[in-house]
Amino acid sequence: MIRSSDVWWKNAVLYCLDVETFSDNGFRGATERIDHLHALGVTCLWLMPFYPTPELDDGYDITDFYNVDPRLGTLGDFVEFVRAARDRGMRVIADLVVNHTSDQHPWFHDPDKRDWYVWADEPPEDGPKGITFPDKENSLWEYSEEVGKYYLHRFYKHQPDLNVANPAVRDEIARIMGFWMELGLSGFRVDAVPFLLERQERSDAIELPDPHDYLTDLRAFLNRRNGEAVLLGEVNLPYKDTMAFYGQGVGDELTMCFDFVGMQAMYLALARQTSGPLTKALQERPLPPRDGHWATFVRNHDELTLDKLPVDERQEVFDAFGPDPDMQLYGRGLRRRLPGMLDGDQRRIRMVYSLLFTLPGTPVLFYGEEIGLEEDLSLEGRLAVRVPMDWEAAAEQRHDPDSLLSWMRRLVELYREAPEFAWGTAEVLDVGDPTVFAHRADCDGGTVIAVHNFAEQDITVRIPADGVLTDLATGGTVKPAKTGARVDLAPYDCRWFRVNPE
């Protein structure tokens, strides 16, 4: 554990928030609410885009990378927010959205920066494929009357892609990162990483001969400016392909990657009420580089994508958690939050978050998850899950020992008492019942075991253990036997144990 502060992200608790929906008064309001996050046990805040924007894509269409949108405050307000977080032991990272700009960005209309974007006389046949938002777009190319050519847009037509192959663009991205790090950021969540590395004439970032050199350069620049800083990557690819974005075995590209495959397997397991899909995903998940880590999550700020599941398995999750077509998006995801998907069943909700904090990786929370914030399906698309934070609910739950907020606080406390989950090597355990997911984590001679019941029924399992199991939540003990330590589980129950010598 002597190096724990050097790689602080391995046992961090990340919390994603949108300044606009988190408070009524931008950064000043968010600063006033920061003690809520400190009391929860958050150690790193991830800010969604807060830059000037015409707000056609909820802030991801940026017109100035060096400022704060006037609706949310000033650079001074931003600095005060970061300082307040630091005073409470919380680092701050922010979205790095540099694969595109808004079409209202001055760069897009500057003739001297024409080569900062990707242009073609005609849409190339061997260019990128796949429409990201099929409900809004029918092409990846849009004609510009101003220029007389087509420009590439991987997302919406009002978001022209930057030409990251251009050295001038790369230098500008480094300046953007350096600017915000001087104002106190400890790193960035890198948006849509595979698209960032894409070339005009090739569709698959993984197959390109050299794009990862750029990520290596970014990481090196980041570490020169701040040795503790991180790059958290949005890489929604199969495990084998995702691993390339850490760097070729040495961990010199992204620091962390989101575990999209494991997240989707978890929802399939919840739908089937069996641990099989999650067990399979965890056993297949490669180990990250020594100083890298997976980031685990229940849901993020976008639609709950299920695109890595086969069509029939995806339909199982739709049927279980979003049968109404209005709850689905793009044919690949759900625009719902967990409480809505689980019909408000506190047993299942709490079990899922217990699972989040015990799975190997860094847990990432989306704002409002700690109070059971639900979606608003009357809002368009993915905005359904980006609803305003309910501070009245937070106030009501703050002093209620039986509330979800109190449960989440307790999970963070237990997470601190069981560092093996964050730092150790994980092993799935066979407990004789497929509805129960059990795994152990070992580190520096310590062992902890987590047991989660995915079924709506009482179950007794036998846990293979070579010592006395001490319940971390209650202090109760279970002695081992030849057939394994007997543990009784209620429906959707979850238990954390420390293994102590007999």
Side-chain angles (χ1 to χ4, degrees):
M1 295 298 179
I2 195 169
R3 296 175 57 251
S4 61
S5 61
D6 295 339
V7 285
W8 58 268
W9 53 88
K10 285 200 173 186
N11 67 336
V13 176
L14 269 69
Y15 186 99
C16 172
L17 66 90
D18 182 346
V19 175
E20 182 178 10
T21 54
F22 192 67
S23 73
D24 294 329
N25 191 23
F27 273 109
R28 293 189 180 188
T31 303
E32 293 169 357
R33 299 291 190 181
I34 211 160
D35 283 324
H36 166 82
L37 302 174
H38 181 233
L40 178 59
V42 172
T43 59
C44 180
L45 304 177
W46 154 24
L47 302 179
M48 291 170 63
F50 52 80
Y51 316 101
T53 173
E55 195 71 358
L56 297 178
D57 185 22
D58 201 27
Y60 283 87
D61 48 330
I62 297 168
T63 57
D64 182 357
F65 289 101
Y66 293 98
N67 218 325
V68 173
D69 192 285
R71 296 173 300 111
L72 305 178
T74 65
L75 284 171
D77 295 328
F78 168 85
V79 170
E80 289 303 308
F81 173 83
V82 174
R83 181 172 178 80
R86 277 283 185 173
D87 286 347
R88 290 156 179 80
M90 290 183 282
R91 294 173 172 86
V92 182
I93 66 174
D95 263 336
L96 184 68
V97 187
V98 289
N99 53 305
H100 58 247
T101 71
S102 166
D103 62 0
Q104 298 181 39
H105 197 294
W107 297 345
F108 189 61
H109 302 281
D110 184 347
D112 293 333
K113 291 184 169 62
R114 199 71 77 211
D115 61 352
W116 284 34
Y117 295 86
V118 181
W119 298 93
D121 293 327
E122 295 290 339
E125 293 184 3
D126 63 345
K129 301 294 189 295
I131 307 295
T132 305
F133 302 122
D135 62 327
K136 299 291 185 182
E137 305 292 345
N138 54 23
S139 173
L140 298 181
W141 297 87
E142 184 70 12
Y143 187 75
S144 168
E145 296 286 351
E146 177 183 359
V147 179
K149 291 185 176 183
Y150 291 85
Y151 63 85
L152 176 67
H153 59 91
R154 252 309 190 168
F155 295 96
Y156 297 108
K157 63 172 64 77
H158 57 76
Q159 292 171 325
D161 278 20
L162 283 166
N163 179 16
V164 181
N166 186 333
V169 173
R170 295 188 177 197
D171 288 346
E172 188 67 22
I173 291 173
R175 278 190 286 271
I176 292 166
M177 294 170 61
F179 175 83
W180 291 106
M181 290 171 73
E182 285 297 313
L183 295 184
L185 288 189
S186 294
F188 302 90
R189 174 262 183 187
V190 189
D191 187 56
V193 179
F195 296 151
L196 176 64
L197 302 188
E198 200 167 49
R199 293 290 191 277
Q200 174 183 353
E201 70 278 4
R202 296 286 294 277
S203 62
D204 188 354
I206 297 298
E207 295 178 357
L208 294 171
D210 64 352
H212 290 277
D213 290 345
Y214 178 46
L215 266 187
T216 303
D217 291 343
L218 277 185
R219 176 72 177 273
F221 173 83
L222 186 85
N223 291 152
R224 287 196 301 271
R225 291 295 179 93
N226 182 349
E228 71 165 24
V230 301
L231 290 178
L232 169 59
E234 182 189 29
V235 185
N236 181 15
L237 293 171
Y239 283 137
K240 175 179 174 292
D241 297 332
T242 299
M243 290 301 293
F245 290 86
Y246 282 113
Q248 298 301 322
V250 294
D252 58 355
E253 295 184 30
L254 294 175
T255 318
M256 292 189 288
C257 292
F258 285 104
D259 184 4
F260 279 94
V261 174
M263 177 275 292
Q264 296 178 47
M266 181 194 74
Y267 277 98
L268 181 61
L270 291 173
R272 292 178 175 178
Q273 297 197 9
T274 181
S275 64
L278 183 58
T279 295
K280 181 174 182 290
L282 191 58
Q283 290 175 335
E284 292 178 350
R285 191 178 76 173
L287 291 175
R290 183 190 62 179
D291 289 345
H293 218 34
W294 290 102
T296 55
F297 62 108
V298 170
R299 71 149 305 113
N300 61 14
H301 59 294
D302 292 329
E303 76 278 3
L304 183 75
T305 184
L306 303 167
D307 64 332
K308 295 299 173 287
L309 296 177
V311 173
D312 57 336
E313 293 181 352
R314 187 184 313 165
Q315 190 60 48
E316 287 185 61
V317 180
F318 281 164
D319 292 342
F321 303 130
D324 189 329
D326 187 47
M327 299 172 177
Q328 303 166 17
L329 200 60
Y330 313 134
R332 63 174 185 254
L334 291 167
R335 56 193 207 104
R336 308 196 73 190
R337 283 175 169 256
L338 185 71
M341 287 188 278
L342 300 185
D343 298 322
D345 188 334
Q346 283 292 313
R347 301 170 303 170
R348 299 186 80 185
I349 293 169
R350 297 181 187 209
M351 185 271 286
V352 170
Y353 287 113
S354 169
L355 192 64
L356 171 68
F357 278 92
T358 58
L359 287 173
T362 301
V364 182
L365 295 170
F366 186 39
Y367 77 92
E369 285 190 287
E370 73 274 22
I371 58 169
L373 194 64
E374 296 196 18
E375 70 277 357
D376 181 354
L377 293 174
S378 69
L379 300 176
E380 183 181 6
R382 52 178 65 177
L383 294 178
V385 302
R386 302 177 186 177
V387 293
M389 177 67 174
D390 189 341
W391 289 109
E392 289 186 6
E396 292 172 359
Q397 294 188 31
R398 186 169 300 121
H399 303 295
D400 179 359
D402 296 322
S403 67
L404 180 60
L405 178 58
S406 294
W407 172 258
M408 297 289 271
R409 287 177 174 175
R410 182 61 176 141
L411 286 178
V412 177
E413 291 175 357
L414 293 175
Y415 179 65
R416 297 284 170 235
E417 295 174 16
E420 293 89 349
F421 285 129
W423 293 93
T425 56
E427 176 189 355
V428 178
L429 300 176
D430 183 1
V431 294
D433 194 312
T435 61
V436 174
F437 179 78
H439 72 288
R440 64 181 285 166
D442 301 272
C443 183
D444 290 346
T447 298
V448 289
I449 291 175
V451 187
H452 293 83
N453 182 8
F454 279 57
E456 191 176 13
Q457 61 193 40
D458 294 318
I459 294 174
T460 297
V461 294
R462 299 281 180 172
I463 300 176
D466 49 5
V468 175
L469 301 185
T470 300
D471 192 309
L472 290 175
T474 67
T477 59
V478 182
K479 291 187 176 182
K482 289 183 178 181
T483 57
R486 172 180 166 142
V487 175
D488 298 321
L489 300 171
Y492 307 123
D493 205 354
C494 50
R495 309 279 291 278
W496 298 23
F497 297 102
R498 177 165 295 285
V499 181
N500 296 303
E502 215 176 336

